[in-house]
Amino acid sequence: PHMLFLVDFVARGLGLGLRTGAAYWVVFGIGASVGPIAAGHVADRIGFGRTLRLAFILQAAGVVLPALATTTAALVASSLIVGAFVTGTVPLVLGRLHELLPGQPQRQGQAWRTATAAFAVCQALAAWGFSFLVGRNGGDYGPLFLIGTGAIGLSLAIDVMSIRKRGQ
């Protein structure tokens, strides 16, 4: 929801105006700039799987935050955290696929192509669905943040199931 509606949520949904909405988008961009570097440093220390699971938890907290609190501190934290993981999750997923398929470059490539295609399709469907929902529910952004949090929770559950299945 942040990638599509953060500025609109702040500007129109909270009535704070476009300038304030744009300021939060800058914070989101700062997070996006440091996300992959920070994620890589953590993954080097504790592994891609653990880092990805931690990222899902932090990102879910960042996504749900605007549904719970709209203070400046909450919106800054949410913008920064979600921005970081929008870009930081990509190298984590790639590294995680390498952990799950060690020494199998062909299968790693296939998995990466599948993950990339699934991400693109789901992103397009979510954009349409979120836009449809906001248009139909009177501009209530809360459900978007809750649905986004649920999607991240599902991602975490899928990775946890892969641990149990593979014993990793």
Side-chain angles (χ1 to χ4, degrees):
H2 284 64
M3 289 177 58
L4 293 172
F5 290 105
L6 177 63
V7 173
D8 193 54
F9 169 66
V10 171
R12 290 191 310 150
L14 298 178
L16 298 176
L18 192 54
R19 180 170 288 179
T20 303
Y24 285 108
W25 191 247
V26 169
V27 173
F28 182 96
I30 291 168
S33 297
V34 300
I37 296 165
H41 284 297
V42 174
D44 285 343
R45 286 166 181 72
I46 67 171
F48 283 97
R50 286 186 177 123
T51 305
L52 181 60
R53 289 185 293 279
L54 176 62
F56 285 147
I57 292 166
L58 292 173
Q59 188 177 20
V63 170
V64 78
L65 197 52
L68 305 175
T70 57
T71 64
T72 299
L75 292 174
V76 166
S78 177
S79 299
L80 190 64
I81 291 166
V82 176
F85 290 114
V86 162
T87 55
T89 302
V90 174
L92 292 178
V93 170
L94 181 58
R96 182 66 175 139
L97 290 173
H98 282 264
E99 283 181 351
L100 292 172
L101 301 167
Q104 302 175 57
Q106 185 174 358
R107 289 193 62 209
Q108 290 170 354
Q110 290 169 340
W112 184 244
R113 286 188 294 278
T114 301
T116 301
F119 177 79
V121 168
C122 289
Q123 193 172 31
L125 289 173
W128 176 83
F130 284 170
S131 297
F132 179 83
L133 183 59
V134 159
R136 299 284 178 172
N137 74 1
D140 182 6
Y141 297 88
L144 305 182
F145 297 115
L146 297 176
I147 292 167
T149 302
I152 295 166
L154 179 61
S155 298
L156 175 60
I158 290 168
D159 191 63
V160 168
M161 286 188 297
S162 77
I163 296 168
R164 291 190 177 153
K165 183 178 179 181
R166 297 178 184 272
Q168 295 181 3

